[in-house]
Amino acid sequence: MTELTGAPNLTALYAKAVATTPTRRGGELPSTEYVRRGIRVDPDHLAAYDRVCGFGLRDELPITYPHVLSFGMSVKLMTDPGFPFPLVGLVHVANRIEQHRPLLLTEELTQRVRVADARPHPKGVRFDVLTETEVDGAVVWRETSTYLRRGPGSGEPSRREVDAGERTATWRVPGDLGRRYAAVSGDRNPIHLNPLAAKAFGFPRAIAHGMWSKARCLAALRLPESCTVEVDFAKPLLLPSTVDFAARRTEGGRDFALTSRSGKPHLLGTVR
């Protein structure tokens, strides 16, 4: 366990990620765990996040907001010398958040981040970034972010079974969304910001952040105070785009989806 006294410098970490990409040759995931205590939420930053993602302004943190608070520690782990994969080119393919109760703007938080469970995938290797958020020593919020390192793979593909029903809303996603979300999240991966960088990784133009897509969908739902929200990120959401949102109540909670106008899924999710 390594304690951090402040948020990592993401600008420096992204520069490091580019410089060290050729040296990443694969191997075992490190056992490092980063811990940051005494985290206080900046009300102005929270309000900016709420506006970009479509949440109302409240003292309760949106269920996706702790992801932003811990993101710097995640990037630090994935740019450390012992991390086997280059950060540049990793694809965020799934995300699971378990919340026992809403976190409050006024609470002091502790966050822990580590990586685990490298495993084969038909398109390469998957692994998880595991995050816990504590209040007064009790874990209130957990997250599993699953990333894909593209390359030779094996195993069977899988996709979440979701029946979200008929469209309930249509959203226009603007071309500058990647830059706007990057400003509040710190996630300045160039595939979200620059069409030339996006083309270098096989996308016709810049794509939206997966965690923006998840947050925007959850902003349209009324979530229970205690719940688990899981999503798979499917087809990349190109910027700009027009997308359809659908949600349907199920016996255990809700199914929801974000799709292109032709019906191809960008995101498939469940609330339980």
Side-chain angles (χ1 to χ4, degrees), residues 58-149:
R58 305 175 62 189
D59 287 340
E60 292 183 358
L61 306 186
I63 191 171
T64 48
Y65 187 74
H67 172 88
V68 171
L69 296 178
S70 65
F71 183 71
M73 286 194 289
S74 300
V75 174
K76 182 170 175 57
L77 268 173
M78 292 188 283
T79 53
D80 280 349
F83 190 75
F85 309 122
L87 177 66
V88 178
L90 291 179
V91 182
H92 194 182
V93 294
N95 181 270
R96 180 182 191 272
I97 294 174
E98 177 187 354
Q99 178 173 271
H100 299 299
R101 65 160 177 84
L103 295 160
L104 302 178
L105 170 64
T106 54
E107 291 180 313
E108 185 176 283
L109 311 177
T110 294
Q111 291 193 306
R112 303 174 183 271
V113 180
R114 59 188 176 90
V115 292
D117 195 18
R119 56 203 186 271
H121 181 268
K123 295 184 179 180
V125 178
R126 284 190 176 197
F127 67 92
D128 297 328
V129 178
L130 306 176
T131 305
E132 293 183 341
T133 300
E134 302 175 3
V135 178
D136 295 330
V139 177
V140 179
W141 184 97
R142 286 187 174 91
E143 178 188 46
T144 302
S145 283
T146 302
Y147 289 86
L148 172 68
R149 166 59 176 166

Side-chain angles (χ1 to χ4, degrees), residues 91 177-178 189-194 198 203-210 236-239:
V91 182
L177 176 70
N189 187 325
I191 63 174
H192 304 302
L193 310 177
N194 186 299
F203 305 109
R205 54 186 189 269
I207 64 174
H209 296 74
L237 174 52
L238 301 177
L239 298 175

